[in-house]
Amino acid sequence: MAHDPLLARARELWLEMAGVPMAFPADGGVDVAISARSLLCPPGWVGIVALGDAAIVTVPSDSWAGIVRKVLHGLPVELLTDPDRLRAVLPMAEVLGPAGLAYLAECDFQPAGLDSVDVVRGEHPDLATLLASVPANDADECGLVDITSQAFVVRRGDHAVAAAGYRRWPGLVAHICVLTEPNQRGRGLARAVASVAVADALANHLLPQWRARPDPSRRVARALGFRQLGAQLSIRIGT
């Protein structure tokens, strides 16, 4: 495909995360490598990252490398992160994802100014209260507990109802994390706090990354100017 600077930078991140030398094939397709140190997935799992018309896949050991390589080389790239399609060709015991991978070029940023946003420390009690107010899977999905930036919050009364921040990833990437209290969703608060977090990341010369499974989260990303470039899937192969 024609050179796309945003795509190239996103691919550089995931190649570093793979933990071994590999590449997104220039002519499309998939590259499979053995990597016990891969950060594409949990330890011992198979990690798949598709970006543009190519993908990289890491397997934890050579015991499954041959079959994974054979099976995935026969699939179109757009199906490599489709759990239903993979179940037909691999003995999948567990799956995480797929999660969309979206990135933002500074020239495409569409900032929001919907609310007054406060800045607090990443370990501020407001964040703990907000995280405790949502279901456990929402708290895990948002990643807010792991941010390395300051937190950007919107308050209603004396407590935070929405917050965002980011975690520094390799390759000068800012992984954006956002959470809104359930009864405050649909009011533009996620976009408001995420906008400030993204602006802070850009000011620090970082590449904003938005990784999400839920459609509402993906819509927030699109509203801010993020462009979805691919997806990530992790699978644990059974016996």
Side-chain angles (χ1 to χ4, degrees):
M1 73 171 31
H3 180 66
D4 180 339
L6 190 64
L7 176 62
R9 193 170 173 192
R11 285 178 169 179
E12 287 175 2
L13 162 69
W14 289 102
L15 290 173
E16 183 174 350
M17 301 275 278
V20 293
M22 59 189 316
F24 288 88
D27 57 353
V30 58
D31 186 16
V32 179
I34 300 166
S35 176
R37 299 181 295 110
S38 173
L39 297 178
L40 272 61
C41 55
W45 289 45
V46 174
I48 305 171
V49 172
L51 288 168
D53 62 354
I56 58 172
V57 178
T58 58
V59 296
S61 66
D62 60 4
S63 59
W64 280 102
I67 184 64
V68 168
R69 186 175 288 111
K70 179 180 179 180
V71 167
L72 297 190
H73 271 297
L75 291 177
V77 169
E78 60 269 20
L79 295 182
L80 295 178
T81 52
D82 183 337
D84 293 332
R85 185 65 181 87
L86 293 183
R87 283 191 184 95
V89 294
L90 287 172
M92 292 167 53
E94 292 183 74
V95 60
L96 293 175
L101 296 173
Y103 298 87
L104 179 70
E106 187 168 7
C107 61
D108 295 328
F109 183 33
Q110 299 293 322
L114 305 180
D115 265 273
S116 175
V117 178
D118 297 327
V119 181
V120 300
R121 302 183 315 276
E123 69 277 9
H124 196 278
D126 275 354
L127 297 187
T129 301
L130 177 59
L131 286 163
S133 74
V134 303
N137 60 329
D138 280 7
D140 291 341
E141 176 79 22
C142 76
L144 199 62
V145 71
D146 296 320
I147 62 172
T148 55
S149 70
Q150 294 178 303
F152 308 96
V153 305
V154 168
R155 289 189 172 89
R156 290 290 181 263
D158 59 357
H159 70 284
V161 296
Y166 58 85
R167 182 174 180 82
R168 287 283 296 263
W169 274 31
L172 296 177
V173 169
H175 180 68
I176 306 297
C177 304
V178 187
L179 181 64
T180 304
E181 200 173 82
N183 63 3
Q184 296 289 332
R185 293 174 185 173
R187 304 179 183 184
L189 300 182
R191 184 182 175 194
V193 291
S195 178
V196 182
V198 168
D200 187 80
L202 292 172
N204 285 299
H205 309 291
L206 303 176
L207 172 67
Q209 172 184 266
W210 196 290
R211 185 179 63 177
R213 285 179 283 181
D215 285 337
S217 180
R218 297 188 192 196
R219 288 196 294 270
V220 173
R222 288 195 296 270
L224 291 171
F226 281 80
R227 181 156 56 96
Q228 183 159 321
L229 298 180
Q232 176 192 14
L233 182 73
S234 298
I235 59 176
R236 184 173 68 83
I237 296 180
T239 55

